[in-house]
Amino acid sequence: MSFDSHARSVLAASVEYVNRLTPGYAGGTPYPMPTDEAQAVADALAAIGYPQPAVQPKDARRLATLAARMRIVFESAQAGELDRAAAEINALLLDTNARPQLDRRADGWSLHFHGPDDTLVNGWAAGCAAGLALAVGSNLAGRLGVCAAPACDRVFVDTSKNAQRRFHSPQCQSRVKAATHRARQST
């Protein structure tokens, strides 16, 4: 897997935002739009190890809108529609005003992407758009996926060595394996 640590973190954030802020199905049950988007954003950040900040409702709504657009990227990449994924990413890059910047870290300089200011939403949205661009703009576009389990449309980034991941969670993988086993046993 050749995503660097920054790309991994913004792609993980993209996954969390899409999975927590967009309606659909998760693990075989309907997943509604969250009633408290600000808490969903804070939970998404906590899931990737970012300290839980106070999230303003208007910022959470903007991030939910952007998450729906990020979902388009995952779905398009999964379907092999890279032109559509690239078009949406280009629009996200423009809308978030993502700009590259070298940031000093303990081990030297690293390339990060920032929004027009340091607010939570602009920073993460620009970083997510750039992370998706790095994946689709390289040979790693096939690493963006949508869960293959029935009644589940949660997304993931395949960081496995063999690029064979098909499910967003071990629970969905187990659910499909158990259903396949039961089907074999009944025949």
Short mmCIF file of all heavy atoms in Angstrom, two decimals, residues 70-85 136 140-149 152-158 163-168:
data_model
loop_
_atom_site.label_atom_id
_atom_site.label_comp_id
_atom_site.label_asym_id
_atom_site.label_seq_id
_atom_site.Cartn_x
_atom_site.Cartn_y
_atom_site.Cartn_z
N MET A 70 -18.60 13.24 -1.91
CA MET A 70 -17.50 12.27 -1.78
C MET A 70 -18.01 10.86 -2.05
O MET A 70 -17.30 10.04 -2.63
CB MET A 70 -16.88 12.35 -0.39
CG MET A 70 -16.05 13.57 -0.14
SD MET A 70 -15.31 13.50 1.52
CE MET A 70 -15.64 15.15 2.09
N ARG A 71 -19.25 10.58 -1.63
CA ARG A 71 -19.85 9.26 -1.90
C ARG A 71 -19.86 8.99 -3.40
O ARG A 71 -19.58 7.87 -3.84
CB ARG A 71 -21.26 9.17 -1.33
CG ARG A 71 -21.98 7.87 -1.72
CD ARG A 71 -23.32 7.71 -1.08
NE ARG A 71 -23.20 7.28 0.28
CZ ARG A 71 -22.82 6.04 0.66
NH1 ARG A 71 -22.51 5.14 -0.24
NH2 ARG A 71 -22.75 5.72 1.92
N ILE A 72 -20.16 10.01 -4.19
CA ILE A 72 -20.16 9.86 -5.65
C ILE A 72 -18.79 9.38 -6.13
O ILE A 72 -18.70 8.53 -7.02
CB ILE A 72 -20.56 11.19 -6.33
CG1 ILE A 72 -22.02 11.52 -6.02
CG2 ILE A 72 -20.31 11.14 -7.83
CD1 ILE A 72 -22.43 12.95 -6.38
N VAL A 73 -17.74 9.89 -5.54
CA VAL A 73 -16.38 9.50 -5.93
C VAL A 73 -16.16 8.02 -5.63
O VAL A 73 -15.67 7.27 -6.49
CB VAL A 73 -15.32 10.37 -5.21
CG1 VAL A 73 -13.91 9.86 -5.49
CG2 VAL A 73 -15.47 11.84 -5.61
N PHE A 74 -16.52 7.57 -4.43
CA PHE A 74 -16.34 6.17 -4.07
C PHE A 74 -17.16 5.26 -4.99
O PHE A 74 -16.66 4.24 -5.48
CB PHE A 74 -16.75 5.92 -2.61
CG PHE A 74 -15.71 6.32 -1.61
CD1 PHE A 74 -15.70 7.60 -1.07
CD2 PHE A 74 -14.74 5.42 -1.21
CE1 PHE A 74 -14.74 7.96 -0.14
CE2 PHE A 74 -13.77 5.78 -0.28
CZ PHE A 74 -13.77 7.06 0.26
N GLU A 75 -18.42 5.62 -5.21
CA GLU A 75 -19.29 4.80 -6.06
C GLU A 75 -18.79 4.76 -7.50
O GLU A 75 -18.80 3.71 -8.14
CB GLU A 75 -20.72 5.31 -6.00
CG GLU A 75 -21.37 5.08 -4.65
CD GLU A 75 -22.72 5.75 -4.49
OE1 GLU A 75 -23.10 6.59 -5.34
OE2 GLU A 75 -23.42 5.43 -3.50
N SER A 76 -18.32 5.89 -8.00
CA SER A 76 -17.81 5.94 -9.37
C SER A 76 -16.53 5.13 -9.50
O SER A 76 -16.34 4.39 -10.48
CB SER A 76 -17.55 7.39 -9.79
OG SER A 76 -18.75 8.12 -9.77
N ALA A 77 -15.63 5.25 -8.53
CA ALA A 77 -14.38 4.48 -8.57
C ALA A 77 -14.68 2.98 -8.50
O ALA A 77 -14.09 2.20 -9.24
CB ALA A 77 -13.47 4.89 -7.43
N GLN A 78 -15.62 2.60 -7.64
CA GLN A 78 -16.00 1.19 -7.53
C GLN A 78 -16.53 0.66 -8.86
O GLN A 78 -16.23 -0.46 -9.25
CB GLN A 78 -17.08 1.03 -6.45
CG GLN A 78 -17.70 -0.35 -6.35
CD GLN A 78 -16.82 -1.31 -5.59
OE1 GLN A 78 -16.04 -0.92 -4.75
NE2 GLN A 78 -16.95 -2.59 -5.89
N ALA A 79 -17.28 1.48 -9.57
CA ALA A 79 -17.88 1.07 -10.84
C ALA A 79 -16.91 1.21 -12.02
O ALA A 79 -17.26 0.90 -13.15
CB ALA A 79 -19.13 1.90 -11.11
N GLY A 80 -15.70 1.69 -11.75
CA GLY A 80 -14.74 1.88 -12.82
C GLY A 80 -15.00 3.11 -13.66
O GLY A 80 -14.43 3.28 -14.73
N GLU A 81 -15.85 4.01 -13.18
CA GLU A 81 -16.18 5.24 -13.88
C GLU A 81 -15.24 6.36 -13.41
O GLU A 81 -15.66 7.30 -12.73
CB GLU A 81 -17.64 5.61 -13.63
CG GLU A 81 -18.62 4.57 -14.12
CD GLU A 81 -20.06 4.84 -13.67
OE1 GLU A 81 -20.31 5.83 -12.95
OE2 GLU A 81 -20.92 4.03 -14.04
N LEU A 82 -13.98 6.25 -13.79
CA LEU A 82 -12.98 7.18 -13.28
C LEU A 82 -13.16 8.59 -13.83
O LEU A 82 -12.80 9.56 -13.16
CB LEU A 82 -11.58 6.66 -13.55
CG LEU A 82 -11.25 5.35 -12.82
CD1 LEU A 82 -9.79 4.98 -13.05
CD2 LEU A 82 -11.56 5.44 -11.34
N ASP A 83 -13.73 8.73 -15.04
CA ASP A 83 -13.99 10.08 -15.56
C ASP A 83 -14.99 10.80 -14.66
O ASP A 83 -14.82 11.99 -14.35
CB ASP A 83 -14.52 10.02 -16.99
CG ASP A 83 -13.45 9.62 -17.99
OD1 ASP A 83 -12.26 9.64 -17.65
OD2 ASP A 83 -13.83 9.28 -19.13
N ARG A 84 -16.03 10.09 -14.24
CA ARG A 84 -17.04 10.70 -13.35
C ARG A 84 -16.42 11.01 -11.99
O ARG A 84 -16.67 12.07 -11.42
CB ARG A 84 -18.24 9.76 -13.20
CG ARG A 84 -19.34 10.37 -12.36
CD ARG A 84 -20.59 9.52 -12.38
NE ARG A 84 -21.63 10.18 -11.61
CZ ARG A 84 -22.40 9.56 -10.73
NH1 ARG A 84 -22.29 8.27 -10.52
NH2 ARG A 84 -23.30 10.23 -10.06
N ALA A 85 -15.62 10.08 -11.45
CA ALA A 85 -14.96 10.32 -10.16
C ALA A 85 -14.04 11.53 -10.25
O ALA A 85 -14.06 12.39 -9.36
CB ALA A 85 -14.17 9.08 -9.74
N VAL A 136 -7.41 8.68 -6.96
CA VAL A 136 -7.94 8.53 -8.32
C VAL A 136 -6.90 8.93 -9.37
O VAL A 136 -6.86 8.35 -10.45
CB VAL A 136 -9.26 9.30 -8.50
CG1 VAL A 136 -9.71 9.33 -9.95
CG2 VAL A 136 -10.34 8.67 -7.62
N LEU A 140 -4.12 3.90 -7.60
CA LEU A 140 -4.80 3.45 -6.38
C LEU A 140 -6.31 3.69 -6.40
O LEU A 140 -6.97 3.50 -5.40
CB LEU A 140 -4.16 4.13 -5.16
CG LEU A 140 -2.66 3.85 -4.99
CD1 LEU A 140 -2.09 4.70 -3.88
CD2 LEU A 140 -2.41 2.38 -4.74
N ALA A 141 -6.86 4.10 -7.53
CA ALA A 141 -8.30 4.36 -7.62
C ALA A 141 -9.10 3.10 -7.29
O ALA A 141 -10.17 3.19 -6.69
CB ALA A 141 -8.67 4.86 -9.01
N GLY A 142 -8.58 1.94 -7.63
CA GLY A 142 -9.27 0.69 -7.33
C GLY A 142 -9.32 0.36 -5.85
O GLY A 142 -9.99 -0.58 -5.44
N ARG A 143 -8.65 1.15 -5.05
CA ARG A 143 -8.66 0.96 -3.59
C ARG A 143 -9.86 1.62 -2.92
O ARG A 143 -10.10 1.43 -1.75
CB ARG A 143 -7.37 1.50 -2.98
CG ARG A 143 -6.10 0.82 -3.46
CD ARG A 143 -6.05 -0.61 -2.97
NE ARG A 143 -4.78 -1.24 -3.28
CZ ARG A 143 -4.13 -2.02 -2.45
NH1 ARG A 143 -4.61 -2.29 -1.26
NH2 ARG A 143 -2.99 -2.57 -2.82
N LEU A 144 -10.60 2.44 -3.66
CA LEU A 144 -11.81 3.06 -3.13
C LEU A 144 -12.97 2.12 -3.42
O LEU A 144 -13.16 1.71 -4.56
CB LEU A 144 -12.07 4.42 -3.79
CG LEU A 144 -10.94 5.45 -3.69
CD1 LEU A 144 -11.33 6.72 -4.42
CD2 LEU A 144 -10.58 5.74 -2.25
N GLY A 145 -13.74 1.75 -2.40
CA GLY A 145 -14.79 0.78 -2.64
C GLY A 145 -16.06 1.04 -1.87
O GLY A 145 -16.11 1.85 -0.95
N VAL A 146 -17.09 0.30 -2.27
CA VAL A 146 -18.40 0.30 -1.61
C VAL A 146 -18.65 -1.13 -1.17
O VAL A 146 -18.40 -2.08 -1.92
CB VAL A 146 -19.50 0.79 -2.58
CG1 VAL A 146 -20.86 0.76 -1.89
CG2 VAL A 146 -19.19 2.18 -3.10
N CYS A 147 -19.16 -1.31 0.02
CA CYS A 147 -19.38 -2.64 0.59
C CYS A 147 -20.18 -3.52 -0.36
O CYS A 147 -21.20 -3.10 -0.92
CB CYS A 147 -20.10 -2.51 1.92
SG CYS A 147 -20.19 -4.06 2.85
N ALA A 148 -19.74 -4.76 -0.53
CA ALA A 148 -20.39 -5.71 -1.44
C ALA A 148 -21.50 -6.50 -0.75
O ALA A 148 -22.18 -7.30 -1.40
CB ALA A 148 -19.35 -6.69 -2.00
N ALA A 149 -21.70 -6.31 0.54
CA ALA A 149 -22.75 -7.04 1.26
C ALA A 149 -24.13 -6.55 0.84
O ALA A 149 -24.31 -5.36 0.56
CB ALA A 149 -22.58 -6.87 2.76
N CYS A 152 -26.06 -2.98 2.12
CA CYS A 152 -25.03 -2.16 2.75
C CYS A 152 -24.35 -1.34 1.66
O CYS A 152 -23.91 -1.90 0.66
CB CYS A 152 -24.00 -3.02 3.49
SG CYS A 152 -22.87 -1.99 4.47
N ASP A 153 -24.29 -0.04 1.87
CA ASP A 153 -23.64 0.83 0.89
C ASP A 153 -22.58 1.72 1.54
O ASP A 153 -22.24 2.78 1.05
CB ASP A 153 -24.66 1.68 0.15
CG ASP A 153 -25.42 2.63 1.05
OD1 ASP A 153 -25.16 2.65 2.28
OD2 ASP A 153 -26.28 3.36 0.54
N ARG A 154 -22.03 1.26 2.66
CA ARG A 154 -20.98 2.01 3.33
C ARG A 154 -19.68 1.86 2.52
O ARG A 154 -19.46 0.86 1.85
CB ARG A 154 -20.76 1.53 4.76
CG ARG A 154 -22.02 1.59 5.65
CD ARG A 154 -22.56 2.99 5.89
NE ARG A 154 -23.52 3.42 4.87
CZ ARG A 154 -24.08 4.62 4.83
NH1 ARG A 154 -23.77 5.53 5.71
NH2 ARG A 154 -24.94 4.93 3.87
N VAL A 155 -18.82 2.86 2.58
CA VAL A 155 -17.62 2.90 1.75
C VAL A 155 -16.39 2.53 2.57
O VAL A 155 -16.43 2.50 3.80
CB VAL A 155 -17.45 4.28 1.09
CG1 VAL A 155 -18.66 4.62 0.22
CG2 VAL A 155 -17.19 5.37 2.12
N PHE A 156 -15.28 2.27 1.85
CA PHE A 156 -14.02 1.94 2.51
C PHE A 156 -12.86 2.26 1.58
O PHE A 156 -13.04 2.47 0.38
CB PHE A 156 -13.98 0.46 2.92
CG PHE A 156 -14.08 -0.50 1.75
CD1 PHE A 156 -12.95 -0.92 1.07
CD2 PHE A 156 -15.32 -0.96 1.33
CE1 PHE A 156 -13.05 -1.79 -0.01
CE2 PHE A 156 -15.43 -1.84 0.25
CZ PHE A 156 -14.28 -2.25 -0.42
N VAL A 157 -11.67 2.29 2.15
CA VAL A 157 -10.43 2.36 1.38
C VAL A 157 -9.70 1.06 1.67
O VAL A 157 -9.46 0.70 2.82
CB VAL A 157 -9.56 3.57 1.80
CG1 VAL A 157 -8.22 3.55 1.07
CG2 VAL A 157 -10.29 4.87 1.52
N ASP A 158 -9.37 0.34 0.62
CA ASP A 158 -8.70 -0.96 0.76
C ASP A 158 -7.21 -0.72 0.96
O ASP A 158 -6.50 -0.31 0.06
CB ASP A 158 -8.94 -1.79 -0.51
CG ASP A 158 -8.34 -3.18 -0.42
OD1 ASP A 158 -7.66 -3.49 0.58
OD2 ASP A 158 -8.54 -3.96 -1.36
N ALA A 163 -5.15 -6.12 -2.27
CA ALA A 163 -6.25 -5.34 -2.89
C ALA A 163 -7.49 -6.20 -3.16
O ALA A 163 -8.13 -6.07 -4.18
CB ALA A 163 -5.78 -4.67 -4.17
N GLN A 164 -7.85 -7.04 -2.19
CA GLN A 164 -9.00 -7.93 -2.37
C GLN A 164 -10.17 -7.59 -1.45
O GLN A 164 -11.14 -8.33 -1.41
CB GLN A 164 -8.57 -9.38 -2.10
CG GLN A 164 -7.55 -9.89 -3.10
CD GLN A 164 -8.11 -9.94 -4.51
OE1 GLN A 164 -9.19 -10.45 -4.73
NE2 GLN A 164 -7.38 -9.38 -5.44
N ARG A 165 -10.11 -6.50 -0.72
CA ARG A 165 -11.18 -6.16 0.21
C ARG A 165 -12.47 -5.87 -0.53
O ARG A 165 -12.48 -5.17 -1.55
CB ARG A 165 -10.76 -4.94 1.03
CG ARG A 165 -11.76 -4.57 2.09
CD ARG A 165 -11.22 -3.52 3.01
NE ARG A 165 -12.25 -3.06 3.92
CZ ARG A 165 -12.09 -2.08 4.77
NH1 ARG A 165 -10.92 -1.47 4.86
NH2 ARG A 165 -13.07 -1.70 5.55
N ARG A 166 -13.59 -6.43 -0.02
CA ARG A 166 -14.89 -6.23 -0.65
C ARG A 166 -15.94 -5.68 0.32
O ARG A 166 -17.02 -5.30 -0.09
CB ARG A 166 -15.40 -7.57 -1.21
CG ARG A 166 -14.55 -8.09 -2.33
CD ARG A 166 -15.07 -9.41 -2.90
NE ARG A 166 -16.49 -9.57 -2.75
CZ ARG A 166 -17.09 -10.68 -2.32
NH1 ARG A 166 -16.40 -11.74 -2.01
NH2 ARG A 166 -18.41 -10.74 -2.21
N PHE A 167 -15.64 -5.69 1.60
CA PHE A 167 -16.63 -5.30 2.61
C PHE A 167 -16.10 -4.15 3.45
O PHE A 167 -14.91 -4.05 3.70
CB PHE A 167 -16.96 -6.50 3.50
CG PHE A 167 -17.42 -7.69 2.73
CD1 PHE A 167 -16.56 -8.73 2.45
CD2 PHE A 167 -18.72 -7.75 2.24
CE1 PHE A 167 -16.98 -9.83 1.71
CE2 PHE A 167 -19.14 -8.85 1.50
CZ PHE A 167 -18.27 -9.89 1.23
N HIS A 168 -17.02 -3.32 3.93
CA HIS A 168 -16.60 -2.17 4.72
C HIS A 168 -16.26 -2.55 6.15
O HIS A 168 -15.53 -1.83 6.83
CB HIS A 168 -17.66 -1.06 4.69
CG HIS A 168 -18.65 -1.11 5.79
ND1 HIS A 168 -19.70 -2.00 5.81
CD2 HIS A 168 -18.75 -0.38 6.93
CE1 HIS A 168 -20.40 -1.80 6.92
NE2 HIS A 168 -19.85 -0.84 7.61
#
